[in-house]
Amino acid sequence: MLDILYNRRSTRKFLNQKIEEEKIKKLLIAALLAPSSRGLRPWEFIVVDDPSLLEKLAISKPHGSLLLNHASLAIIIAGDKTKSDVWIEDCSIATIFIQLEAEALGLGSCWVQINRRYYNDDITANEYIHEQFNIPERLEVLSIVGIGYKAAETPPLTDLDVDWDKVSFNKFGSLYVKE
Ligand SMILES: Cc1cc2nc3c(=O)[nH]c(=O)nc-3n(C[C@H](O)[C@H](O)[C@H](O)COP(=O)(O)O)c2cc1C
């Protein structure tokens, strides 16, 4: 597991190579096995591989979504706000499960934030995606994961990224220092 965590880096440049059906299925199994508050599983996933739809997703917001133009696949993660008051937490866990399974399958991925982001001055990124994909009102789009074969390797995280200063022991500020 730690190998996957060290190696997972955000990938924003992808090869023009299709992802095998079996791998797509495994990405979705990972999402559907994620834990959720009270086991309510308040999520919905929309799998997108049509290049014209990926282009639409790529302009969901002014910055940080263009990578979807080059991805082979995008998974939209939406939460049902009528089912759970903690849909954001539940959908975040499902999002990262997809990213970790992508790494395990030798794929690159990147989280594209949609919740609380704007398409333009007038409408939110969530509203824009609702319109494009005919999504029911009860759902809120949290994120999109762009996925594909990596066009370049980003160096993995190292032990220098393991910031032990962020960890206290028994009381706040009493550092848990590990060499
Ligand atoms: C909640 C969240 C939102 C993010 N939103 C975006 C985004 O909209 N666009 C993007 O290119 N990267 C996005 N990222 C990726 C981060 O920029 C990236 O994880 C961070 O810079 C650390 O780099 P690494 O993933 O390579 O370790 C997001 C990551 C998280 C966890």
Side-chain angles (χ1 to χ4, degrees), residues 91-104:
C91 289
S92 296
I93 295 167
T95 304
I96 201 69
F97 270 36
I98 293 170
Q99 288 202 269
L100 294 178
E101 178 61 11
E103 179 59 36

Side-chain angles (χ1 to χ4, degrees), residues 25-152:
K25 193 174 165 196
K26 285 182 175 172
L27 293 167
L28 294 165
I29 291 173
L32 293 165
L33 289 179
S36 61
S37 173
R38 293 186 282 148
L40 289 174
R41 300 177 173 167
W43 43 56
E44 299 279 344
F45 303 97
I46 305 171
V47 181
V48 181
D49 73 349
D50 177 336
S52 68
L53 295 176
L54 288 167
E55 269 175 37
K56 286 186 174 166
L57 287 177
I59 55 162
S60 296
K61 55 183 189 171
H63 306 287
S65 54
L66 275 182
L67 65 104
L68 295 170
N69 257 332
H70 314 291
S72 310
L73 189 80
I75 301 178
I76 302 171
I77 296 108
D80 189 332
K81 61 191 174 196
T82 68
K83 270 197 184 154
S84 175
D85 59 343
V86 290
W87 64 271
I88 294 178
E89 288 82 346
D90 293 338
C91 289
S92 296
I93 295 167
T95 304
I96 201 69
F97 270 36
I98 293 170
Q99 288 202 269
L100 294 178
E101 178 61 11
E103 179 59 36
L105 293 169
L107 299 166
S109 72
C110 190
W111 181 315
V112 173
Q113 180 69 18
I114 296 302
N115 186 43
R116 303 178 72 85
R117 297 291 178 263
Y118 280 82
Y119 172 72
N120 61 20
D121 287 347
D122 300 322
I123 70 164
T124 65
N126 172 56
E127 287 165 341
Y128 166 75
I129 295 169
H130 267 251
E131 224 169 82
Q132 303 297 328
F133 289 84
N134 201 20
I135 298 175
E137 160 65 23
R138 67 192 158 79
L139 300 178
E140 296 270 339
V141 179
L142 175 89
S143 60
I144 306 168
V145 184
I147 307 163
Y149 281 94
K150 300 172 194 177

Side-chain angles (χ1 to χ4, degrees), residues 5-40:
L5 299 181
Y6 277 106
N7 283 308
R8 182 223 52 82
R9 301 300 313 277
S10 295
T11 303
R12 298 182 178 86
K13 293 207 165 74
F14 302 98
L15 298 177
N16 185 11
Q17 184 180 336
K18 266 191 165 304
I19 302 175
E20 298 81 345
E21 213 41 61
E22 197 52 33
K23 289 193 176 182
I24 296 175
K25 193 174 165 196
K26 285 182 175 172
L27 293 167
L28 294 165
I29 291 173
L32 293 165
L33 289 179
S36 61
S37 173
R38 293 186 282 148
L40 289 174

